[in-house]
Amino acid sequence: MTETHFRVEIDSDGIALATWDMPGRSMNVVTTEVIAELSDIVERVAGDAAIKGCVVTSGKESFSGGADLTMLQGLGLEYARLAREEGEEEAMRFFFEESRKLSLVYRRLETCGKPFAAAVHGTCLGGAFELALACHYRVLSSEDATRVGLPEIKVGLFPGAGGTQRVPRLMQTGDALQMLFRGEQIRALMAKNMGLAHEVAKRDEIVEKAKSWIRAGGSPVAPWDQPKFKAPSGKVYSPGGMMIWPPANAIYRRETHDNYPAAKAILQSVYEGLQLPMDLALRVESRYFAQILRSKEAAAMIRTLFLSKGELEKGARRPAGEAATSLKTVGIVGAGFMGAGVAYVTAQAGLDVILVDRDQEAADKGKSYSHKLMTDQINKGRAKSAEREALLGRITATPDYGALAACDLVIEAVFEDPKVKAEVIARVEAAIRPDCIFASNTSTLPISGLAQASRRPEAFIGIHFFSPVEKMLLVEIINGSQTGERALATALDYVRAIRKTPIVVGDARGFFANRCVGAYLLEGHLMLAEGIPPAMIENLARMAGMPVGPLSLNDEVGIDLALRVVRATKAQVGEGAVNPDQEQILSVMVEREGRLGRKNAKGFYDYPDKGQGPKRLWPDLGSVGGFPQAPDEIDRGEVKHRLLVVQALEAARTVEEGVVTDPREADVGSVLGFGFAPFTGGALSYIDGMGATAFVALARRLEAKHGPRFAPPRILVDMAERGTTFYRSEPARTAA
Ligand code: NAD
């Protein structure tokens, strides 16, 4: 037998070492071929009396990131084809059998009669960690890079190769559920403490430790296959079980609002599986896995959060002809709130930073933010002081524009004032090299307008960060009318270097994300004006899938900023461009009540001092809004729809206007930029998932009741008429 993806060597003690090392890939992934090869290896180990046992390890820098999601997507497509051509029953049979192949191979490994041990260094996630869990012994490398976990839930999936059965047999049910729900990556020592690994050793010793365990007579029988096995939390139907399961249901509802079928399936799979012997339990798990794989939510989330996100990060929008840029030094002008954050993420990516502000003190203050963030990391045990010193060593804080001569890219984050920006552009351009690219972090000023102050508009571009910079994953790149390809390529290379996700958007007011966020905030304000109780607005927003309600979000952004934007829009676009009810609410909050948001601890919420409890809705908020409506008479479904539909309509308008040209960018941008209900796959996938016809009908109903902001744009009406979607410009073929 010859392997392609594994190398198998048998040592003089008869211990096989299977080294997973897929040719032509930097990372191992579980593919159909890998599953077949692993199955062959298991049979060989099981069938050869001269082989005592087997250690599985990786020949790459990391163990493996898990299953190839494109393989799972392919399964879904094959299912759809079979359902069309041979009927639902045949398609289901195929799907169930195919989707449980990996689980069966792992179970065979676990029960083949020979001991298997996993020697893991680096990332070992999802289907790869399920392989390790099926091995009888797990040794993890002690290095920082080692991380294990089951992150499937993050893309709407569910660990379908034993994860939902082996984890709750290794640890207390509550802890197991938490691990499966959160999908976090766990470091080696923590994994050992949780019972997920047996041993932690130096990287170059893990294989030897695994072999020693086999040599010493390691048992080829998993704990749960031993006759007297008891799950750590005991039986489901027991007094102990009754302490766990009712609250688990409540926590599931609180955390997901029943929007994530994968989370529910995890709960069901663990609950049912723990009452069954392992083989049957795995069969139950496989049924849930097949069901989740076919769910609309998993398809949408895999596409947006895995495939599209990955494609955008790898440069889907990068101009093909531009050679790779070699960014070494980045200048940041304006070391305020945003500039300080940009300096931190840039230095963290290993780039040198020249941080300029009006005087030394202001520049130093910006740099001190990096000191603070690194110190927080050190206090949490996530960084060492040497790393902080190295990072700070990469940031030069200075008032001297001349220092920018060293830069390959300069990003300005000075006051949002065209005059100040024009002055800064002139001073920067006098200092930089001709090949240096200039970027503005403006959030409201058109890039083409700012570029008028530039002598080199082809090298001028927008790089729009979101706050807080160190946490937000999305960056909008804005092409001005004269921006050249070199500038675009440089901006994309920079965003890649700092490991964020770029979307390239057109130069229109609010670009993409802030337009949708603006629509969401407006809807919250108008609901308040209508007399919908604030707590209902906030809770229904979260139940619709948003991470925070619109009032809470506005507190973070600043109510005064919202008022300023409304007033500026009125001045620039005209009276008709703003809603008077919204302006009234904002003006009362800011100008009458002095409530600016979290920044002065007084907004739609009150923010008690530290230790004095969580934020609470301001009790007098009713006096700001309209005559209170009776909660029982409010159509909760409609409130939820309004909050998502306004954002989706705005996203569709950006496509119609050409601000966004690729649906992947609107979807990824909406989930990463403002947390648009992730289970939908993003603002456009939300429309596609409902179908344009149903969405247009819904929008028209809302338009009739709440006004023209719900009028569906032409693009959606056309899609409804032609039966197309944002991702498919041809009408779907109907089943024969
Ligand atoms: P800020 O007021 O916190 O910081 C601005 C900094 O620029 C100050 O430190 C100021 O001293 C400095 N500055 C002003 N004139 C200067 C000059 N001539 N030379 C050097 N430095 C000068 O403002 P901010 O919130 O960081 O916003 C900066 C930019 O980022 C704005 O264009 C804003 O629209 C944009 N932005 C802000 C956010 C946000 O959430 N605050 C989000 C995205 C983009």
Side-chain angles (χ1 to χ4, degrees), residues 167-181:
V167 169
R169 283 167 173 79
L170 286 168
M171 60 175 87
Q172 299 285 334
T173 308
D175 297 338
L177 286 173
Q178 221 169 64
M179 175 188 162
L180 295 164
F181 277 165

Side-chain angles (χ1 to χ4, degrees), residues 563 567 586-595:
L563 180 62
R567 296 254 163 93
L586 295 175
S587 151
V588 169
M589 288 295 285
V590 174
E591 292 163 344
R592 190 182 84 192
E593 303 289 342
R595 304 190 71 92

Side-chain angles (χ1 to χ4, degrees), residues 336-338 357-358 401 413-414 416 421 424 441 443 465 467:
F337 178 60
M338 293 303 283
D357 208 300
R358 290 178 291 185
Y401 276 70
V414 298
E416 188 76 337
K421 299 241 191 234
V424 166
N441 179 42
S443 34
F465 286 89
S467 79

Side-chain angles (χ1 to χ4, degrees), residues 332-342 356-359 362-363 365-366 398-399 401 412-417 419-421 423-425 427-428 440-445 450 463-469 511 514 556-557 561:
I332 295 156
V333 183
F337 178 60
M338 293 303 283
V342 177
V356 177
D357 208 300
R358 290 178 291 185
D359 49 46
K365 184 161 175 258
T398 171
Y401 276 70
E412 73 76 16
V414 298
F415 300 139
E416 188 76 337
D417 175 338
K419 275 203 215 94
V420 176
K421 299 241 191 234
E423 202 184 291
V424 166
I425 292 163
R427 286 187 72 183
V428 171
S440 172
N441 179 42
T442 178
S443 34
T444 56
L445 304 168
L450 288 177
I463 300 185
H464 182 217
F465 286 89
F466 295 86
S467 79
V469 177
F511 311 128
N514 283 347
E556 298 300 324
V557 175
L561 180 68

Side-chain angles (χ1 to χ4, degrees), residues 178-222:
Q178 221 169 64
M179 175 188 162
L180 295 164
F181 277 165
R182 291 199 180 145
E184 277 169 356
Q185 302 189 11
I186 304 161
R187 287 159 193 263
L189 263 182
M190 177 66 121
K192 181 163 179 275
N193 291 340
M194 290 167 78
L196 292 168
H198 299 87
E199 205 176 337
V200 175
K202 287 201 186 117
R203 179 181 180 178
D204 54 4
E205 292 174 1
I206 52 176
V207 169
E208 198 34 52
K209 296 273 184 197
K211 283 188 169 183
S212 308
W213 173 80
I214 295 176
R215 238 180 264 121
S219 166
V221 182

